[in-house]
Short mmCIF file of all heavy atoms in Angstrom, two decimals:
data_model
loop_
_atom_site.label_atom_id
_atom_site.label_comp_id
_atom_site.label_asym_id
_atom_site.label_seq_id
_atom_site.Cartn_x
_atom_site.Cartn_y
_atom_site.Cartn_z
N SER B 284 3.01 1.15 -4.95
CA SER B 284 2.06 2.28 -5.07
C SER B 284 0.96 2.28 -3.96
O SER B 284 0.70 3.36 -3.48
CB SER B 284 1.44 2.31 -6.45
OG SER B 284 2.42 2.38 -7.43
N GLY B 315 -17.45 1.00 23.47
CA GLY B 315 -18.57 1.14 22.54
C GLY B 315 -18.14 1.47 21.08
O GLY B 315 -16.99 2.06 21.00
N VAL B 422 -12.36 -9.87 11.83
CA VAL B 422 -11.31 -10.33 10.77
C VAL B 422 -12.09 -11.21 9.70
O VAL B 422 -11.89 -10.92 8.50
CB VAL B 422 -10.30 -11.16 11.47
CG1 VAL B 422 -9.36 -11.88 10.42
CG2 VAL B 422 -9.47 -10.33 12.36
N LYS B 450 -3.61 9.13 -8.12
CA LYS B 450 -4.32 10.36 -8.35
C LYS B 450 -5.68 10.44 -7.45
O LYS B 450 -6.25 11.61 -7.47
CB LYS B 450 -4.68 10.55 -9.86
CG LYS B 450 -3.38 10.77 -10.64
CD LYS B 450 -3.69 11.14 -12.10
CE LYS B 450 -2.43 11.50 -12.73
NZ LYS B 450 -2.69 11.74 -14.11
N ALA B 456 -5.98 10.47 1.15
CA ALA B 456 -5.30 10.06 2.32
C ALA B 456 -4.61 11.27 2.83
O ALA B 456 -4.71 11.51 4.08
CB ALA B 456 -4.32 9.01 2.03
#
Side-chain angles (χ1 to χ4, degrees):
Chain B
S284 298
V422 170
K450 294 187 174 174

